Amino acid sequence: MKEASELLFSFLIGQSVFTDVVGQFNNAWKLYPIAADSDVPEPFATYRIREQSGATKDASSFLVSLAVFFTPEKYDECVAFCDAITPVIRSHSDFEWITTEPDIDDEDGSFVSIINFKITI
């Protein structure tokens, strides 16, 4: 799981379509496993990795849910990010895109770009 997390992190921070939107906070990329601190300004990203059984004997597969949070008035930016990141995910040979969708965070009304894909390593 750690290898998949490191691959995901290094790939995303190397993509301007991601870094131009998410950026940094306190000199660190705003990309967090599972949850971000409450003081991190939007937009920021979280990711969750789940191991998938049934891969080949030579590879491991992990399901990834990447969520990028935008302030409530930034719906257009949210859906534009969904459109922009999908081909980037599809371009990676170890990634298999599954779905991309905008959603809303019921807690604070933020818009969320949710990108689901599989990493096979």
Side-chain angles (χ1 to χ4, degrees):
M1 213 172 272
K2 184 166 176 52
E3 184 180 358
S5 180
E6 290 171 349
L7 175 62
L8 173 67
F9 192 91
S10 66
F11 176 74
L12 289 174
I13 64 167
Q15 303 300 315
S16 61
V17 71
F18 181 81
T19 58
D20 289 351
V21 171
V22 173
Q24 294 186 338
F25 179 64
N26 293 335
N27 296 316
W29 292 107
K30 296 187 294 181
L31 174 59
Y32 306 95
I34 304 173
D37 291 336
S38 61
D39 65 337
V40 175
E42 294 172 320
F44 65 86
T46 63
Y47 64 93
R48 183 178 302 265
I49 298 176
R50 295 176 306 278
E51 189 166 7
Q52 184 179 31
S53 63
T56 70
K57 65 178 181 164
D58 299 325
S60 297
S61 291
F62 303 89
L63 296 175
V64 176
S65 289
L66 175 67
V68 180
F69 294 79
F70 295 84
T71 57
E73 65 278 357
K74 299 287 185 174
Y75 176 77
D76 288 344
E77 288 84 348
C78 177
V79 294
F81 183 80
C82 285
D83 291 343
I85 198 69
T86 296
V88 172
I89 297 296
R90 286 181 163 170
S91 73
H92 195 288
S93 61
D94 292 330
F95 297 174
E96 180 184 332
W97 174 86
I98 299 171
T99 61
T100 304
E101 64 180 302
D103 202 354
I104 193 162
D105 182 352
D106 292 332
E107 196 170 297
D108 68 359
S110 296
F111 288 108
V112 186
S113 294
I114 300 173
I115 301 91
N116 297 299
F117 56 99
K118 181 169 73 170
I119 296 177
T120 303
I121 47 178

